Amino acid sequence: MPGHENASLSASRPLRLSRAAGFPSLQALHRFARPVLVIMPALGLVLGLAAGVAGHGPWSGLIWAVATVPVLVVLIVEIVGSLRRGDVGLDIVAALSMTGALVFGEHLAAVVVALMYAGGQYLESFAERRANREMTALLGRVPRTALLHRDGRLEEVPLDVIAPQDRLLVRQGDVVPVDGLVAKGVAVLDQSALTGEALPVRKRSGEPVMSGVTNVGDAFDLSATHRAAESTFAGIVRLIEVAQRSKAPMTRLADRFALAFLALTLALAGVAWLWSGDPVRALAVLVIATPCPLILAVPVAIVSGVSRAAKAGVLVKGGKVLETLTRVRTLVIDKTGTLTHGRARIVEIRPMAGLSSDRLLQLAASLDQASKHVIAQALVAEARGRGLDLLPPTEVEEIPGEGLEGCVGGRRVIVGGIRFVSWRVPRVGAVAAGQHPAGSVVVAVAVDGAPAGLLILADPLRTEAAQVIGSLRRLGVTRIILATGDRREVAQAVTVGLHLDEVHADLTPDRKIAIVQAEKRHGPVMMIGDGVNDAPALAAADLGLAMGARGAAASAEAADVVLLVDELDRVPGAIGVARRSKRIALQSVYAGIGLSVLGMIAAGLGYLTPVQGALIQEAIDVAVILNALRALWGVEPS
Ligand code: ADP
Ligand code: MG
């Protein structure tokens, strides 16, 4: 992958740049060898023709033969390698036709096939590079250093020394290196690389900024909130690297056709030879089958689709995932942070035991600083917004999705859902039994073993929720099921009017897995979730989709698809892109094979010479590859 080696990041290491040292990699060798393998037969072809024109006819054949050999040798080495791995590929046809042409003295045909074959390979790698460009471009944007305000001066520092609260200067044109808040001035940011949104956005002082976006306005000061390795961009880069490594194109699709096509080709060639008694007819048939467009077109269409999705802020981890995305029948969706946007606001504070409202919120939010749960983050943001001083929590123990327990300023605090807290402090159950506004999220707090109060939050549905559910139904998702760890009353109140098939509430992470497993009998299941507590269910589903690359790294890593932007309407969009790519891939395969078979029959009947066959086949290949590249653009109407 070009540029890939420039930006190598791993999960545990902070952002660092490493350059491949020592021997050139095999890939680099390939990159160098490919153009040479095209130039040799091209040069041979021209020289041989020139020799013929100049009256040195006998030399032509020799020159063409010599120019064919390097391509044939490299091809045979590759075939032996893939046979060892147990793959029977269509490259065999290419090798057979070149060998046959040399043996039967069709030297011009041999060199033309060699040129077409090597040219096709080159075209394919070009198309794949083009298709991958959006993903690779993201990797190439990783900044190396940042400008840090230190003791009244600006210092250029490596990213891994930046700590939360550090103040950085982001110049015009810089890529924002870590997640933070605008500290001074107004930032005008181009987020298109991450979200596909073309219009720049304005962020005022105090507003959050994601790493990985570009400053297109004046320089501004950024106050870091995360280390580089924990920032959004590092998360995205890690995910892309995983996606590229697991880039398994639709091999099953190609496999289905490859062996059948190989058998058909050999049979047709054999019949043509037997029937006409002329081996050159068989050769012409083989030549037309070389190289089969399906090995070229399928990966190009799939990689294009993955790239197209990345451009829209949806990271699809490989071709197989893209294929699964086209078959989803059931959706299991989480509530908090997924169907709702999780930016909950406090609507009521009910303190007890002589605490003030602010003190209750301060204790709860101080402890919740240790949690990545969306509701925890909302509480912390509210407390900060009210100017409360947050204390560092210690001895924290969390049960993801349920709540946590720890020490804050010398007091033992428990924060979480009613079930979680009342299980530890039973009196909380009675306190929380009262009436709450419909659909509101209730966070219970206990301090030093006694109920301390309730925090009531409104966490409304995303505005696009109903429309997204409607689009998914139109795309053929027949069952849509809510699976939430929250209370039944909340789940029911929030989902009124969404027409869901089932609503499951009060779930623990393993109950979410059980629901996903049970749904699998209706067809492929997609699970959409956001929190750490959703990671197991995301992994259990046929297709896990995580909201947001940072929020909870565990869920993004367990998922097959990650929304790099916090917008639910990207889900039907991604399914549309997947469908379109698959349709284009299949279209290329059927059209390519159909045309090739027609050509083979014409050649078998003696209407095409091997040289004409090679030229026709090349035209088919180019058309099919260009068609496959269409998957880079456009969307499926839904
Ligand atoms: P969902 O499955 O819908 O995403 P969760 O299981 O993640 O919901 O959360 C359910 C409820 O648990 C929340 O609405 C909240 O009341 C409570 N909760 C869980 N973790 C925390 C936390 N760290 N701080 C406060 N409340 C929490
Ligand atoms: Mg959630």
Side-chain angles (χ1 to χ4, degrees), residues 333-338 340 364 367-368 371-377 379 398-404 415-420 440-444 455 457 459 482-487 490 507-509 512 530-531 533-534:
I333 190 166
D334 165 66
K335 179 185 75 78
T336 322
T338 306
T340 70
L367 180 57
D368 258 342
S371 170
K372 281 190 165 178
H373 197 271
V374 278
I375 296 297
Q377 286 174 349
L379 283 183
E398 176 168 14
I399 298 191
E402 307 220 7
L404 63 175
V415 175
I418 297 170
R419 186 177 34 143
F420 174 83
S440 57
V441 168
V442 179
V443 176
L455 301 163
L457 296 98
D459 183 22
L482 181 79
T484 176
D486 215 340
R487 295 170 302 128
V490 186
L507 299 175
T508 52
K512 284 193 184 183
D530 69 310
N533 51 324
D534 294 328

